[in-house]
């Protein structure tokens, strides 16, 4: 099992890849207007840091119950944070209004060609690193929220390692991509209580990401909160890596035996490590 | 600041390097007799795994209050564990008796040329990796217990990066190396209560390691338990790495401002990540 620890990426998650790629392509005039984004946290941090590096003001619309560590880090990268209520507010409308008011570019979290291409650089690296190790990858598993990472990585692997079978992993109750692939069209999952994975609670695959996932994925696995917590403990005890719930789902799928690995080389992306200390403490103590 | 995360090494600590180097040089006849070692935990795991890879039986003498995660991992690598009482038993005598009784080689934790050379491979890698980055290292900080890692790394850096200034870091109350360097001869520290750093509570520098440290170190910093806990929280929140108290002391020294880094490139070795979940949970929650 080969591990791509995007927990060690800037901002502690793969999201910096796409955000920087998107913002660095803006013209000077566009940069001056700044950027607006909405995100539960990792895209927020990616946009905030990319904006700071490019000298742009940034406003991030975040849910009021986002992990504290993500809100604090987003502010620490210099962005202004505006909160919304998940139950009541339309975050896309809030972001669009803020963008119009400021003359700022609104950067979506996943459904954008430059975001997808940026996330796909993780796939370019995985293919090159596996080649350097002389270890062709039979199966690759990555988390799926809106599908930006999975679709970018799928395009990279299709070009560089076409024999690799690609699997998405979603948390139980937020299996909109699994349902969409079964239906052959974009579907939402029925309303569910919150998952441990704040990063993967997207309502539906994107208009751009869905056809890419449909054309490249061999399947989607789902994992329970208990399997996710077990995988976080394994990452803590054995890998010595801090992985957030939404980032650990591929490891959870392997440990739960969702796929037969006998004689095969697997690659998994641990996509982020931004988790509140209190939640992490409860998980490693076995309290959840 | 360049980080060498030995937390990601096999057994979660640099100790595998020296243990494997030492055991792999034994003759076939010596291997058949097996190995005995004494250790609070990381050397234990390094010897246990190296022995298993080489097909040797292993007995490890450990303090009864060693971190549970270290005891369990040592057993999981196939070693037999025998406990001793820190207050009452002479662990070296216990290990020597067990070795004689079994016809097994006793492998010390640090005061051995092949152990020192093995730990020094971390220094070879640091020098090569800094060269590949085009980032000559001005200062290097590493934890010092008995001095096996620090002396091996010192020899490697003296050969490959002689301009680098080398500093050891010890926990308050276990500053036997600092005292020995000041005195110009091997000294113990006065009896102290336990430190957070079970891995660094060595009574005195080794006969072999002391002269190497004396000839190469620019100095030794000491850090408090509070500074150590703060550094563990920083590693959790920002680096997304699980680092044990004894492994995080160089980061603690940097964060506590023990050395001026303005305009300089520093390398630090985070030497291990084997920490009980309960202690880690208390530290990241800010309870200690």
């Amino acid at each position: 099992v080969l591990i791509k620890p995007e927990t060690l990426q800037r901002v502690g998650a793969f999201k910096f890849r796409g955000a920087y790629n998107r913002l660095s392509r803006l013209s000077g005039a566009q940069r001056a207007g700044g950027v607006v984004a909405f995100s539960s946290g990792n895209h927020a941090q990616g946009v905030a840091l990319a904006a700071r590096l490019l000298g742009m003001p940034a406003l991030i619309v975040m849910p009021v119950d986002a992990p504290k560590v993500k809100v604090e880090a987003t502010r620490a990268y210099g962005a202004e944070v505006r909160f919304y209520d998940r139950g009541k507010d339309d975050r896309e409308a809030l972001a669009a209004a803020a963008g119009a008011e400021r003359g700022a570019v609104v950067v979506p979290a996943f459904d954008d060609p430059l975001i997808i291409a940026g996330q796909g650089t993780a796939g370019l690296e995985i293919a090159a690193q596996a080649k350097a190790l002389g270890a062709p990858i039979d199966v690759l598993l990555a988390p799926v929220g809106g599908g930006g990472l999975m679709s970018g990585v799928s395009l990279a692997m299709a070009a560089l390692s076409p024999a690799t079978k690609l699997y998405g992993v979603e948390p139980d109750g937020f299996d909109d991509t699994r349902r969409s692939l079964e239906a052959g069209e974009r579907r939402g999952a029925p309303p569910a209580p919150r998952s441990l994975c704040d990063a993967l609670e997207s309502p539906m695959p994107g208009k751009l990401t869905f056809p890419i996932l449909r054309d490249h994925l061999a399947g989607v696995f789902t994992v329970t909160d208990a399997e996710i917590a077990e995988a976080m403990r394994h990452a803590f005890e054995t890998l010595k890596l801090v992985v957030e719930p939404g980032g650990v789902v591929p490891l959870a799928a392997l440990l739960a035996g969702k796929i037969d690995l006998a004689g095969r080389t697997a690659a998994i992306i641990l996509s982020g490590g931004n988790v509140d200390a209190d939640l992490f403490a409860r998980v490693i103590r076995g309290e959840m």
Side-chain angles (χ1 to χ4, degrees), chain A:
Chain A
V1 177
L2 306 174
I3 295 172
K4 182 70 171 167
E6 287 292 290
T7 53
L8 307 180
Q9 180 55 263
R10 295 196 73 163
V11 315
F14 72 95
K15 290 282 192 180
F16 177 72
R17 298 173 179 272
Y20 190 84
N21 192 45
R22 179 70 170 78
L23 295 187
S24 65
R25 305 296 187 91
L26 295 174
S27 68
Q30 287 173 313
R31 287 191 195 178
V35 59
V36 171
F38 50 90
S39 159
S40 80
N42 285 333
H43 178 57
Q45 294 175 71
V47 169
L49 176 59
R52 191 177 71 180
L53 293 173
L54 295 165
M56 298 171 61
L59 168 69
I60 315 288
V61 178
M62 299 182 78
V64 70
D65 58 353
K68 286 192 295 274
V69 65
K70 294 182 176 180
V71 176
E72 285 161 17
T74 301
R75 285 185 172 137
Y77 292 124
E80 181 186 339
V81 172
R82 193 174 291 175
F83 289 112
Y84 74 92
D85 181 326
R86 282 177 199 270
K88 203 168 80 177
D89 300 328
D90 177 343
R91 66 182 191 168
E92 299 199 34
L94 283 176
E101 169 196 309
R102 303 173 156 228
V105 175
V106 178
V107 171
F110 54 85
D111 221 21
D112 178 290
L114 291 170
I115 298 279
I116 293 170
Q119 320 304 27
T121 60
L124 299 181
E125 292 172 14
I126 290 168
Q129 291 168 321
K131 193 174 175 188
L133 287 171
I137 298 169
D138 298 306
V139 295
L140 180 148
L141 287 75
V144 178
L149 174 66
M150 189 82 243
S151 58
V153 168
S154 294
L155 294 172
M157 297 303 285
L160 299 178
S161 182
T164 302
K165 285 197 171 186
L166 305 168
Y167 294 89
V169 188
E170 293 181 308
D172 260 9
F174 293 85
D175 57 344
D176 48 287
T177 296
R178 191 184 65 73
R179 289 167 184 269
S180 299
L181 291 176
E182 272 184 13
E185 61 179 26
R186 296 166 66 221
R187 291 274 171 89
R194 296 294 306 277
S195 146
L196 266 183
C197 305
D198 61 279
L200 301 181
E201 295 178 338
S202 54
M204 197 182 282
K207 285 180 195 157
L208 298 177
T209 57
F210 175 67
I212 301 173
L213 300 178
R214 185 193 58 207
D215 293 349
H216 291 92
L217 290 199
V220 173
F221 301 112
T222 59
V223 290
T224 65
D225 277 358
E227 289 165 344
I228 289 165
E230 184 59 34
M232 288 174 69
R233 283 189 287 275
H234 182 91
F236 165 75
E237 287 170 7
T238 303
L239 306 178
K240 314 302 177 190
L241 294 176
V242 176
V243 191
E244 67 182 276
V248 89
V249 294
L251 180 62
L254 294 192
L255 292 173
K258 305 278 179 180
I259 186 168
D260 180 14
L261 292 184
R264 304 163 92 187
T265 297
I268 58 175
I269 302 178
L270 301 182
S271 60
N274 295 312
V275 50
D276 277 339
D278 194 60
L279 173 61
F280 195 78
R282 279 187 288 142
V283 168
I284 63 175
R285 275 176 165 159
E287 292 165 15
M288 60 194 303

